[in-house]
Amino acid sequence: MHKDKLVKLAGQIAGGEENALHELHILLCDFVFVTALAVSRNRETAEEIVADVFIRLWKQRDALAEVRDLRSYIFIITRNISLDYRRRQPVVKFYGIDEMELPALVVNVTPEDEMISSEMIKRINQAITELPPRCRLIFTLVKTEGLKHQEVAELLDVSIKTVEAQMGIALKRLYASLHIHIPVPRESK
């Protein structure tokens, strides 16, 4: 598959063209499925992951204009979503009746606590959407997709220093918009 074709489709998707997303799905569906199956080791889960990958691509379509290697970008998204699915699958461990211990855990969450948490989430999401596009893309790849700075640098074809600088800018702006004061260490004389 030609890289030029994928670059063209990425640009069209970034522009909001749903037909381009459908065409990309046709081109890369098998690739995404095989990748998801290799990581998740479950056919049904892999099918869900394929849908999740293309939904995420559509939701984050603005970021696609900056992506240099769409196939690698999709591979990384697929890998990360697949790993998330695996982490959520319960680990089955068998215990003898004598080994069982049931701790008493009581968590009291008030409606006020829930409201504060949902309000904070809204503020964080709003602050992220207000970041400059390139800064938002790098922040999303690092914090949401779990990529390392080096992986983001390679994916976007920028230096690692650029990634680090953009992350610094993103964090400063997020802290400022959330009114969180971060103490700056002072140099000793």
Side-chain angles (χ1 to χ4, degrees):
M1 173 178 339
H2 275 279
K3 190 175 182 178
D4 297 337
K5 175 76 172 175
L6 292 177
V7 170
K8 180 182 174 190
L9 286 173
Q12 291 172 334
I13 293 167
E17 292 184 35
E18 290 182 33
N19 290 337
L21 181 69
H22 180 70
E23 188 174 342
L24 182 67
H25 182 272
I26 291 169
L27 290 172
L28 295 180
C29 182
D30 290 339
F31 167 74
V32 173
F33 178 78
V34 169
T35 304
L37 185 60
V39 177
S40 70
R41 299 182 189 135
N42 182 297
R43 187 171 196 74
E44 293 168 356
T45 300
E47 291 170 357
E48 288 180 37
I49 292 168
V50 170
D52 288 351
V53 167
F54 287 97
I55 289 169
R56 183 170 295 174
L57 283 172
W58 183 251
K59 286 181 178 178
Q60 297 177 350
R61 63 186 171 273
D62 296 341
L64 292 179
E66 296 285 332
V67 174
R68 302 263 189 266
D69 185 350
L70 185 60
R71 190 176 172 96
S72 294
Y73 182 74
I74 291 173
F75 171 79
I76 291 167
I77 290 174
T78 305
R79 179 197 65 191
N80 290 340
I81 291 174
S82 300
L83 288 172
D84 286 344
Y85 268 84
R86 279 192 56 194
R87 279 186 216 112
R88 283 187 259 148
Q89 290 178 347
V91 176
V92 178
K93 187 173 180 181
F94 296 98
Y95 291 98
I97 193 79
D98 296 334
E99 297 174 300
M100 294 174 104
E101 187 176 317
L102 301 173
L105 177 63
V106 178
V107 178
N108 293 323
V109 178
T110 66
E112 182 180 347
D113 292 337
E114 288 181 15
M115 187 177 76
I116 290 170
S117 296
S118 68
E119 182 61 33
M120 182 57 89
I121 290 169
K122 286 178 191 173
R123 288 177 54 202
I124 291 169
N125 286 333
Q126 180 62 34
I128 291 170
T129 59
E130 291 173 358
L131 291 172
R134 184 178 201 108
C135 190
R136 182 175 59 238
L137 171 62
I138 290 171
F139 180 82
T140 303
L141 289 172
V142 171
K143 294 298 183 182
T144 306
E145 298 303 325
L147 299 180
K148 295 182 179 1
H149 290 195
Q150 183 64 40
E151 292 174 317
V152 173
E154 290 170 7
L155 189 63
L156 300 178
D157 195 26
V158 297
S159 74
I160 195 163
K161 292 290 186 190
T162 300
V163 173
E164 291 169 352
Q166 291 295 311
M167 283 300 295
I169 291 167
L171 291 172
K172 284 179 187 173
R173 289 187 177 195
L174 289 173
Y175 289 143
S177 67
L178 297 172
H179 307 293
I180 300 172
H181 175 69
I182 305 297
V184 178
R186 295 184 182 184
E187 293 181 31
S188 56
K189 294 183 180 179

